Amino acid sequence: MSEISIKRAHHSTLPNAKKMAEKIASKLEKDYQLKSSWTDDTLHFTRGGINGTLAVSHKELHIHVKLGFLMAAFKGPIHDAMEKNLDALIKPAAVQQEPAKKPAAKAKK
């Protein structure tokens, strides 16, 4: 059995991080027919040949996936797609949380 483990820090509240996880779950269900359910702060997902978790904490998201024998052949592309989708979801959330910067004061002559 082949495994994938990905951790990403987030700069969001726990409820907002769980909303990000819900978006990931929706995309996984749409794209790969993965079924998911929550237990506390951990999203469990499964489908024939794939099962895993997405644990949400105050500081990071941790995805751990176990691939069955046939799916193990696609480990590289699955890993790359998961990283790309996770980074796309986290990056906009981090940008939204940054405080607006004040314009620099002009120097007096």
Side-chain angles (χ1 to χ4, degrees):
M1 184 170 290
S2 188
E3 296 185 23
I4 298 172
S5 184
I6 302 171
K7 290 183 182 181
R8 289 291 186 274
H10 68 79
H11 306 286
S12 191
T13 64
L14 184 59
N16 285 341
K18 287 180 82 170
K19 287 179 186 176
M20 281 190 273
E22 280 293 335
K23 288 181 183 179
I24 294 168
S26 294
K27 184 156 180 58
L28 290 172
E29 184 170 358
K30 179 183 172 191
D31 294 348
Y32 305 105
Q33 297 76 46
L34 291 170
K35 300 298 178 194
S36 60
S37 63
W38 284 97
T39 303
D40 298 320
D41 293 334
T42 302
L43 180 70
H44 300 268
F45 53 89
T46 187
R47 174 196 160 175
I50 299 175
N51 66 62
T53 58
L54 171 52
V56 181
S57 73
H58 292 282
K59 295 184 179 184
E60 73 179 11
L61 300 174
H62 180 201
I63 298 176
H64 187 82
V65 180
K66 293 180 182 179
L67 303 172
F69 179 73
L70 295 176
M71 295 303 289
F74 301 102
K75 180 180 179 179
I78 291 170
H79 182 274
D80 293 346
M82 290 172 68
E83 282 193 326
K84 181 180 174 184
N85 289 324
L86 189 57
D87 290 342
L89 283 171
I90 290 175
K91 190 173 185 178
V95 169
Q96 290 172 1
Q97 299 240 344
E98 289 180 11
K101 293 182 180 177
K102 294 181 182 178
K106 293 184 180 179
K108 293 183 181 180
K109 291 184 180 182

